Amino acid sequence: MTADTAWHKSACILCENNCGIQIQTDGRRFTKIRGDKEHVATAGYTCNKALRLDHYQNGGTRLTTPLRREADGTFTPIDWDTAIREIATRLKTVRDTHGGESIFFYGGGGQGNHLGGAYSGALLRALGARYRSNPLAQEKTGEGFVDAHLTGGHTTGDFQNAEVSLFLGKNPWQSHGVPRARTVLKDIAKDPTRTMIVIDPVRTETADLADIHLQVRPGTDAWCLAGLLGILAQEDLLDHAFLTTRTTGADTVIKQLKEVDVARCAQTCGVDEDLLRQTARRIGTASSVATYEDLGVQQGPNSTLVSYLNKLTWLLTGNFAKPGAMQPHSWIAPLARYNTSPRRTPVTGARMPGGLVPCNVIAEEILTDHPDRFRAIIIESSNPAHSLADSAAFAQALAALDLVVVIDIALTETGRQADYVLPAASQFEKWEATFFTFEFPHNTFHLRAPVLDPLPATLPEPEIYARLIRELNAVPGGRLTALRTAAHLGRTAYKVAFAALAAIDKSTFAMAPYLLYETLGPTLPAGARSAAVLWALAQRIAKEYPAAMRRAGHQNADTLFDAMLDGRSGITFTEDEYDDAWNYVPHPGHRIPLPIPELLGLLADLDTTPAVHTTEDFPIVLVAGQRRAFTANTIFRDNTWRKRDQQGTLRVSSHDAEQLGLSDRALARITTNRGTAQAVVEIDDRLQPGHAALPNGFGLDLPTEEGDTERTGVALNTLTDLTWRDPIAGTPWHKHVPARIEPSPPDEHTASHGGGTPSTMQGERP
């Protein structure tokens, strides 16, 4: 077969930045990958991980047929018609017996395939389902809760222009998040007029570049930030003009901050008070400040409080809606609902920030005799049996459900516990996009064309959802006929017909993704049927951001939609001016209300809040999921892509190694209150005594030639506890797991891959 010398434009799917790439192929292999210099957001930048994406496309064992679990636990291949018919029948049975709200949905995306997930809502509405979740609910919902109260939506930092950049529990050298992260970090580090501040218990690669590293004790970030804010208030390093004209309730917040015992905060977090004061003064006197908080604090103690305190550092100093500061932004489609009074879950009554069920309560919402418990689950493009806290509890919950349906490209740890597994096309075999549109003033979007044809017998998610909706007879055929006729007459006629149908039947909006897919979709060029939902999103953008859309070069919704379809290197869809930022603040007078009474109460309680959660039995704080050069999210179902750290080492300080009797490259046993695992030791003095780390991305049960599975590295959530979670958002403490570490006994040394015991392909579900 002759190699294809053409370069196919696409994007990386391993983190939220989705850097533009170009790919050369040979058959179905990716032979060369490079950055796309024409990409509207990343201009040719990539990290090393993007260059290994052939290991996603071709490294794992793909599903090539729907599977049905039989009574003995084995899977039987079935055809698509049978799978769709049986699943639809069983979903209707659950709905008719227990109500549609008993059907739960998890996933709908990942780091690159949001377009498919956009169609899931129509299926859920056809079933009457009301509850859903995804990985954001174990990461970002505490921050979202705070954002809802303050600016009313997500904010992003302008690190390219910030005089002071603060990274909180964030190592963008490895985890990115900042567009062109390593280039931006180097630029900051080289500029003597700019300052980089890192708050992290680990001396990360980003901390190496920082001017100030506040190396806090693990889990004490709230005290560190409280101390910084106390200094800002007590030394009057505040922007009073900004507070007077742009905020409300500032006096309430400042009064409480003036009472903060800075010396005690410094002592608790383990940072020298003079360094804390130096840091606060640098923040308070800078012309611009941008901050980035991430999983290092969002998956640890006091996480929602930490988000609040972080945002107060830049709000009290007036760092909003100006160059180099924090900005709101437009959306292609909002990823969450920013509501100050979140809904509650039906059984436990847990808050649902962003409209998402907290991941840590999902098992509790199932493992009960409560009449409103979840009875069925649809899981798309996610692997919660591996990624959610306390894998054993989640497996038990899956086994208790009447129906489990998984849509994915491979037989994952979750799929092995499902009743039906449906094979999806990969992210490079279909039209795809991400709704991670976080930039200001120029916000960008990238619709990606397929690089390869779908693997035979796989389907893109929109088609899977459409087939289920057809089988449910959820939409009268006459409506589809009318819209199909209008679509062939042109988009003007289609818009009129769609509006008329919506005026007659309000459910038109609820079922819009499906209606668009079935009627407008077939008229789109190059088989871009799945992009039909973007037509509706273009209408929304034209309505909500008309001036910004026109500044970006799009005269109306139709020209924007055409640009989306044609822009192989992405497009700028809105271009804001800095004064426009205040239009994104939804509160009266576009003022930011600073007090959040519940969180101010938690701040007041810090004097009596435990800062240490380890015990005599579990004396070490374990980071369950450290980002490293050769770790990525688990869509890499292949261990061969890693050039280093192939077993996923347990990193410990030399002090702890000596105290615990551990040797470099020897095996250690890690025990928590939920489980035990073993890993190879790596002595690393970037960690403090009492702090250890295991990497993310390991512990997958991958098929062997013998038909079993083999695990390399630790499946982290065999060690985590779902009850260790934030009291407001329910986010887990993955980065703060009390553990015991000791040398592995000699009889355990045969487990050379550092993981658990092999399991069969039949899975664990009874």
Side-chain angles (χ1 to χ4, degrees):
M1 184 177 295
T2 303
D4 181 0
T5 59
W7 288 98
H8 303 271
K9 291 177 180 286
S10 190
C12 179
I13 56 175
L14 297 176
C15 86
E16 69 187 62
N17 292 129
N18 301 116
C19 297
I21 58 174
Q22 297 188 86
I23 302 170
Q24 279 187 342
T25 63
D26 185 353
R28 301 194 67 84
R29 308 292 310 190
F30 292 175
T31 54
K32 293 182 181 179
I33 299 174
R34 69 185 185 190
D36 178 7
K37 293 182 179 180
E38 297 177 348
H39 192 266
V40 68
T42 54
Y45 176 91
T46 62
C47 75
N48 65 299
K49 300 177 188 181
L51 307 182
R52 311 289 286 174
L53 279 166
D54 185 61
H55 291 264
Y56 159 75
Q57 176 62 34
N58 296 300
T61 301
R62 291 284 300 277
L63 286 168
T64 56
T65 181
L67 301 175
R68 178 182 62 210
R69 179 181 294 280
E70 305 299 347
D72 63 358
T74 61
F75 283 112
T76 297
I78 56 176
D79 62 77
W80 273 103
D81 289 344
T82 301
I84 295 296
R85 182 176 63 254
E86 291 183 0
I87 291 170
T89 297
R90 292 183 65 174
L91 286 170
K92 283 191 288 186
T93 298
V94 173
R95 177 194 64 189
D96 296 345
T97 305
H98 303 291
E101 63 276 9
S102 69
I103 299 172
F104 182 64
F105 181 84
Y106 188 90
Q111 299 287 25
N113 61 323
H114 293 162
L115 194 62
Y119 291 88
S120 63
L123 173 62
L124 300 183
R125 293 181 181 99
L127 293 166
R130 299 180 57 229
Y131 296 98
R132 66 187 302 158
S133 191
N134 62 45
L136 287 176
Q138 66 170 355
E139 300 175 353
K140 301 295 183 183
T141 44
E143 182 183 6
F145 177 86
V146 176
D147 283 334
H149 285 81
L150 296 178
T151 56
H154 184 256
T155 53
T156 187
D158 179 9
F159 297 100
Q160 285 190 323
N161 299 299
E163 182 179 332
V164 170
S165 297
L166 189 156
F167 298 106
L168 175 60
K170 175 68 175 174
N171 180 16
W173 187 266
Q174 295 295 4
S175 63
H176 298 85
V178 177
R180 302 171 57 251
R182 295 184 179 182
T183 299
V184 170
L185 292 175
K186 290 177 182 177
D187 288 344
I188 298 171
K190 288 186 296 185
D191 190 337
T193 67
R194 302 172 70 188
T195 300
M196 187 191 309
I197 302 167
V198 169
I199 302 177
D200 200 307
V202 180
R203 182 163 52 85
T204 64
E205 293 88 346
T206 305
D208 286 340
L209 294 171
D211 300 280
I212 300 173
H213 178 201
L214 303 182
Q215 193 169 13
V216 295
R217 295 190 178 104
T220 63
D221 307 88
W223 285 267
C224 180
L225 289 169
L228 290 172
L229 287 165
I231 297 163
L232 290 172
Q234 293 159 24
E235 297 190 8
D236 197 22
L237 299 169
L238 309 177
D239 187 336
H240 290 285
F242 176 89
L243 296 175
T244 299
T245 59
R246 293 299 194 178
T247 73
T248 59
D251 289 346
T252 300
V253 175
I254 294 168
K255 180 180 179 181
Q256 184 166 335
L257 292 176
K258 286 183 176 180
E259 300 300 317
V260 168
D261 186 337
V262 174
R264 184 170 181 175
C265 286
Q267 182 179 21
T268 300
C269 71
V271 174
D272 181 80
E273 183 181 345
D274 287 342
L275 181 59
L276 207 61
R277 291 189 179 276
Q278 174 191 337
T279 305
R281 290 164 187 158
R282 185 67 184 100
I283 292 170
T285 57
S287 62
S288 59
V289 176
T291 76
Y292 197 131
E293 62 177 85
D294 208 1
L295 305 192
V297 292
Q298 291 173 337
Q299 293 187 334
N302 311 299
S303 58
T304 303
L305 174 61
V306 166
S307 290
Y308 181 45
L309 300 179
N310 166 44
K311 293 173 192 298
L312 287 178
T313 62
W314 48 264
L315 284 168
L316 291 173
T317 54
N319 283 291
F320 181 75
K322 66 180 184 180
M326 301 298 294
Q327 325 291 352
H329 55 82
S330 58
W331 294 95
I332 282 287
L335 293 178
R337 294 192 291 273
Y338 289 88
N339 194 311
T340 57
S341 299
R343 293 167 53 205
R344 300 270 180 171
T345 59
V347 173
T348 67
R351 272 183 283 210
M352 296 168 51
L356 301 173
V357 173
C359 296
N360 276 31
V361 307
I362 294 172
E364 295 172 353
E365 294 286 327
I366 297 169
L367 296 172
T368 173
D369 58 2
H370 194 287
D372 295 332
R373 66 186 181 274
F374 298 140
R375 312 282 183 143
I377 188 169
I378 302 168
I379 300 170
E380 187 247 291
S381 303
S382 296
N383 190 7
H386 182 270
S387 63
L388 300 192
D390 204 336
S391 300
F394 193 79
Q396 186 182 2
L398 289 179
L401 291 166
D402 296 348
L403 177 64
V404 178
V405 179
V406 169
I407 303 169
D408 214 315
I409 72 167
L411 188 59
T412 65
E413 290 70 24
T414 306
R416 292 191 185 100
Q417 300 178 55
D419 296 296
Y420 293 88
V421 185
L422 302 180
S426 84
Q427 293 193 41
F428 296 105
E429 298 169 353
K430 60 194 174 191
W431 289 86
E432 257 306 350
T434 173
F435 296 153
F436 290 141
T437 49
F438 296 155
E439 300 307 308
F440 181 98
H442 302 88
N443 208 352
T444 63
F445 173 75
H446 186 191
L447 175 67
R448 314 189 308 266
V451 175
L452 302 169
D453 291 331
L455 202 64
T458 67
L459 295 174
E461 293 89 346
E463 177 62 22
I464 295 172
Y465 292 128
R467 292 189 183 192
L468 286 167
I469 292 171
R470 291 173 206 148
E471 188 67 27
L472 291 167
N473 293 316
V475 176
R479 298 177 193 175
L480 294 173
T481 299
L483 288 174
R484 285 190 183 109
T485 301
H488 286 289
L489 295 175
R491 291 198 201 142
T492 300
Y494 187 80
K495 183 176 181 180
V496 171
F498 202 95
L501 183 59
I504 297 169
D505 183 358
K506 300 302 181 185
S507 70
T508 300
F509 291 114
M511 298 302 294
Y514 171 72
L515 294 171
L516 290 163
Y517 180 79
E518 294 284 57
T519 59
L520 180 64
T523 71
L524 298 182
R529 185 171 182 170
S530 296
V533 72
L534 296 177
W535 178 83
L537 296 179
Q539 310 299 318
R540 188 190 71 81
I541 291 165
K543 181 179 179 181
E544 294 195 16
Y545 322 117
M549 179 190 72
R550 287 193 293 272
R551 284 191 209 105
H554 315 293
Q555 293 305 306
N556 53 49
D558 276 332
T559 57
L560 173 59
F561 182 49
D562 286 335
M564 291 176 177
L565 293 173
D566 296 338
R568 296 284 64 80
S569 292
I571 63 164
T572 297
F573 70 94
T574 55
E575 182 178 329
D576 275 304
E577 296 176 348
Y578 281 95
D579 285 345
D580 296 335
W582 293 101
N583 296 328
Y584 291 94
V585 179
H587 306 300
H590 300 297
R591 286 172 172 257
I592 299 170
L594 295 183
I596 304 177
E598 185 175 6
L599 294 176
L600 288 175
L602 293 179
L603 173 61
D605 291 342
L606 276 183
D607 286 344
T608 57
T609 299
V612 176
H613 301 279
T614 52
T615 64
E616 186 175 345
D617 283 341
F618 303 112
I620 302 291
V621 173
L622 174 69
V623 174
Q626 184 185 45
R627 306 284 184 93
R628 301 179 185 173
F630 283 90
T631 67
N633 59 48
T634 56
I635 62 172
F636 269 2
R637 298 192 64 81
D638 170 21
N639 289 320
T640 65
W641 76 278
R642 299 183 182 91
K643 291 184 178 179
R644 299 195 301 272
D645 196 16
Q646 295 179 350
Q647 296 178 325
T649 58
L650 170 70
R651 291 181 176 173
V652 299
S653 69
S654 58
H655 174 275
D656 286 341
E658 182 179 352
Q659 293 295 310
L660 300 172
L662 303 174
S663 300
D664 198 54
R665 312 314 300 176
L667 283 173
R669 182 166 62 186
I670 309 108
T671 304
T672 70
N673 68 331
R674 295 303 297 150
T676 299
Q678 64 176 6
V680 174
V681 171
E682 178 184 351
I683 296 176
D684 183 359
D685 281 322
R686 290 175 172 271
L687 290 149
Q688 301 179 49
H691 201 204
L694 284 167
N696 70 309
F698 283 84
L700 297 175
D701 296 326
L702 302 180
T704 66
E705 293 181 358
E706 293 74 26
D708 293 333
T709 61
E710 184 176 56
R711 180 179 298 177
T712 299
V714 177
L716 299 172
N717 288 303
T718 61
L719 301 174
T720 56
D721 186 337
L722 62 82
T723 66
W724 289 68
R725 60 195 187 217
D726 184 73
I728 293 175
T731 44
W733 289 16
H734 286 335
K735 303 301 187 286
H736 197 96
V737 181
R740 180 171 65 254
I741 300 173
E742 54 201 334
S744 288
D747 60 350
E748 293 183 5
H749 285 192
T750 55
S752 59
H753 291 288
T757 56
S759 58
T760 68
M761 288 290 287
Q762 295 177 358
E764 296 81 19
R765 191 177 185 215

PDB file of all heavy atoms in Angstrom, residues 23 106 147 272 282 343 401 480 550 656 679 749:
ATOM      1  N   ILE A  23      -1.742  15.423   9.817  1.00  0.00           N
ATOM      2  CA  ILE A  23      -1.450  13.991   9.893  1.00  0.00           C
ATOM      3  C   ILE A  23      -1.217  13.448   8.485  1.00  0.00           C
ATOM      4  O   ILE A  23      -2.003  13.717   7.568  1.00  0.00           O
ATOM      5  CB  ILE A  23      -2.621  13.228  10.551  1.00  0.00           C
ATOM      6  CG1 ILE A  23      -2.907  13.775  11.953  1.00  0.00           C
ATOM      7  CG2 ILE A  23      -2.337  11.731  10.592  1.00  0.00           C
ATOM      8  CD1 ILE A  23      -4.202  13.229  12.559  1.00  0.00           C
ATOM      9  N   TYR A 106     -24.236   9.366  31.525  1.00  0.00           N
ATOM     10  CA  TYR A 106     -22.884   9.769  31.935  1.00  0.00           C
ATOM     11  C   TYR A 106     -22.013   9.914  30.703  1.00  0.00           C
ATOM     12  O   TYR A 106     -21.941   9.014  29.870  1.00  0.00           O
ATOM     13  CB  TYR A 106     -22.258   8.745  32.881  1.00  0.00           C
ATOM     14  CG  TYR A 106     -20.949   9.245  33.467  1.00  0.00           C
ATOM     15  CD1 TYR A 106     -20.943   9.949  34.656  1.00  0.00           C
ATOM     16  CD2 TYR A 106     -19.750   9.056  32.805  1.00  0.00           C
ATOM     17  CE1 TYR A 106     -19.764  10.454  35.186  1.00  0.00           C
ATOM     18  CE2 TYR A 106     -18.562   9.560  33.318  1.00  0.00           C
ATOM     19  CZ  TYR A 106     -18.577  10.256  34.513  1.00  0.00           C
ATOM     20  OH  TYR A 106     -17.414  10.767  35.023  1.00  0.00           O
ATOM     21  N   ASP A 147     -18.137  30.643  40.333  1.00  0.00           N
ATOM     22  CA  ASP A 147     -18.323  31.506  39.165  1.00  0.00           C
ATOM     23  C   ASP A 147     -19.771  31.978  39.042  1.00  0.00           C
ATOM     24  O   ASP A 147     -20.032  33.131  38.688  1.00  0.00           O
ATOM     25  CB  ASP A 147     -17.934  30.761  37.887  1.00  0.00           C
ATOM     26  CG  ASP A 147     -16.429  30.674  37.692  1.00  0.00           C
ATOM     27  OD1 ASP A 147     -15.710  31.547  38.207  1.00  0.00           O
ATOM     28  OD2 ASP A 147     -15.976  29.721  37.031  1.00  0.00           O
ATOM     29  N   ASP A 272       6.897  30.494  54.760  1.00  0.00           N
ATOM     30  CA  ASP A 272       7.445  31.582  55.559  1.00  0.00           C
ATOM     31  C   ASP A 272       6.566  32.822  55.426  1.00  0.00           C
ATOM     32  O   ASP A 272       6.179  33.217  54.315  1.00  0.00           O
ATOM     33  CB  ASP A 272       8.860  31.889  55.093  1.00  0.00           C
ATOM     34  CG  ASP A 272       9.497  32.998  55.897  1.00  0.00           C
ATOM     35  OD1 ASP A 272       9.981  32.721  57.010  1.00  0.00           O
ATOM     36  OD2 ASP A 272       9.494  34.148  55.400  1.00  0.00           O
ATOM     37  N   ARG A 282       3.355  41.671  45.725  1.00  0.00           N
ATOM     38  CA  ARG A 282       3.572  41.622  44.259  1.00  0.00           C
ATOM     39  C   ARG A 282       2.233  41.567  43.538  1.00  0.00           C
ATOM     40  O   ARG A 282       2.041  42.238  42.521  1.00  0.00           O
ATOM     41  CB  ARG A 282       4.418  40.387  43.912  1.00  0.00           C
ATOM     42  CG  ARG A 282       4.798  40.315  42.436  1.00  0.00           C
ATOM     43  CD  ARG A 282       5.744  41.440  42.059  1.00  0.00           C
ATOM     44  NE  ARG A 282       6.061  41.445  40.629  1.00  0.00           N
ATOM     45  CZ  ARG A 282       5.498  42.250  39.742  1.00  0.00           C
ATOM     46  NH1 ARG A 282       4.553  43.106  40.121  1.00  0.00           N
ATOM     47  NH2 ARG A 282       5.861  42.221  38.474  1.00  0.00           N
ATOM     48  N   ARG A 343     -29.924  22.472  41.334  1.00  0.00           N
ATOM     49  CA  ARG A 343     -30.859  21.379  41.610  1.00  0.00           C
ATOM     50  C   ARG A 343     -30.211  20.387  42.575  1.00  0.00           C
ATOM     51  O   ARG A 343     -29.007  20.413  42.814  1.00  0.00           O
ATOM     52  CB  ARG A 343     -31.219  20.654  40.310  1.00  0.00           C
ATOM     53  CG  ARG A 343     -32.031  21.468  39.323  1.00  0.00           C
ATOM     54  CD  ARG A 343     -32.055  20.779  37.970  1.00  0.00           C
ATOM     55  NE  ARG A 343     -32.494  19.398  38.052  1.00  0.00           N
ATOM     56  CZ  ARG A 343     -32.170  18.451  37.171  1.00  0.00           C
ATOM     57  NH1 ARG A 343     -31.378  18.734  36.149  1.00  0.00           N
ATOM     58  NH2 ARG A 343     -32.628  17.228  37.299  1.00  0.00           N
ATOM     59  N   LEU A 401     -28.099  -2.115  38.527  1.00  0.00           N
ATOM     60  CA  LEU A 401     -28.995  -1.452  37.582  1.00  0.00           C
ATOM     61  C   LEU A 401     -29.737  -2.462  36.712  1.00  0.00           C
ATOM     62  O   LEU A 401     -29.265  -3.573  36.465  1.00  0.00           O
ATOM     63  CB  LEU A 401     -28.187  -0.501  36.693  1.00  0.00           C
ATOM     64  CG  LEU A 401     -27.615   0.732  37.392  1.00  0.00           C
ATOM     65  CD1 LEU A 401     -26.565   1.405  36.515  1.00  0.00           C
ATOM     66  CD2 LEU A 401     -28.727   1.718  37.741  1.00  0.00           C
ATOM     67  N   LEU A 480     -40.679  15.457  10.292  1.00  0.00           N
ATOM     68  CA  LEU A 480     -39.437  15.220   9.567  1.00  0.00           C
ATOM     69  C   LEU A 480     -39.617  15.497   8.082  1.00  0.00           C
ATOM     70  O   LEU A 480     -38.748  16.100   7.436  1.00  0.00           O
ATOM     71  CB  LEU A 480     -38.962  13.794   9.793  1.00  0.00           C
ATOM     72  CG  LEU A 480     -38.544  13.438  11.221  1.00  0.00           C
ATOM     73  CD1 LEU A 480     -38.267  11.946  11.334  1.00  0.00           C
ATOM     74  CD2 LEU A 480     -37.310  14.228  11.641  1.00  0.00           C
ATOM     75  N   ARG A 550     -19.811  39.731  14.245  1.00  0.00           N
ATOM     76  CA  ARG A 550     -19.510  40.512  13.033  1.00  0.00           C
ATOM     77  C   ARG A 550     -18.066  41.000  13.039  1.00  0.00           C
ATOM     78  O   ARG A 550     -17.412  41.038  11.988  1.00  0.00           O
ATOM     79  CB  ARG A 550     -20.496  41.674  12.913  1.00  0.00           C
ATOM     80  CG  ARG A 550     -21.905  41.230  12.501  1.00  0.00           C
ATOM     81  CD  ARG A 550     -22.753  42.417  12.091  1.00  0.00           C
ATOM     82  NE  ARG A 550     -23.036  43.301  13.222  1.00  0.00           N
ATOM     83  CZ  ARG A 550     -24.073  43.160  14.051  1.00  0.00           C
ATOM     84  NH1 ARG A 550     -24.936  42.160  13.871  1.00  0.00           N
ATOM     85  NH2 ARG A 550     -24.256  44.007  15.034  1.00  0.00           N
ATOM     86  N   ASP A 656      11.328   9.985  53.013  1.00  0.00           N
ATOM     87  CA  ASP A 656      10.336   8.929  53.246  1.00  0.00           C
ATOM     88  C   ASP A 656      10.891   7.564  52.867  1.00  0.00           C
ATOM     89  O   ASP A 656      10.594   6.559  53.530  1.00  0.00           O
ATOM     90  CB  ASP A 656       9.058   9.222  52.457  1.00  0.00           C
ATOM     91  CG  ASP A 656       8.241  10.342  53.069  1.00  0.00           C
ATOM     92  OD1 ASP A 656       8.447  10.636  54.261  1.00  0.00           O
ATOM     93  OD2 ASP A 656       7.402  10.921  52.359  1.00  0.00           O
ATOM     94  N   ALA A 679       3.554  -0.761  43.386  1.00  0.00           N
ATOM     95  CA  ALA A 679       4.175  -0.008  42.300  1.00  0.00           C
ATOM     96  C   ALA A 679       5.678   0.046  42.515  1.00  0.00           C
ATOM     97  O   ALA A 679       6.174  -0.170  43.626  1.00  0.00           O
ATOM     98  CB  ALA A 679       3.591   1.402  42.236  1.00  0.00           C
ATOM     99  N   HIS A 749       6.500  -9.966  44.805  1.00  0.00           N
ATOM    100  CA  HIS A 749       7.412  -9.405  43.818  1.00  0.00           C
ATOM    101  C   HIS A 749       7.197  -9.959  42.423  1.00  0.00           C
ATOM    102  O   HIS A 749       7.749  -9.431  41.460  1.00  0.00           O
ATOM    103  CB  HIS A 749       8.858  -9.643  44.251  1.00  0.00           C
ATOM    104  CG  HIS A 749       9.271  -8.737  45.371  1.00  0.00           C
ATOM    105  ND1 HIS A 749      10.580  -8.604  45.754  1.00  0.00           N
ATOM    106  CD2 HIS A 749       8.550  -7.930  46.199  1.00  0.00           C
ATOM    107  CE1 HIS A 749      10.656  -7.743  46.767  1.00  0.00           C
ATOM    108  NE2 HIS A 749       9.434  -7.334  47.055  1.00  0.00           N
TER     109      HIS A 749
END
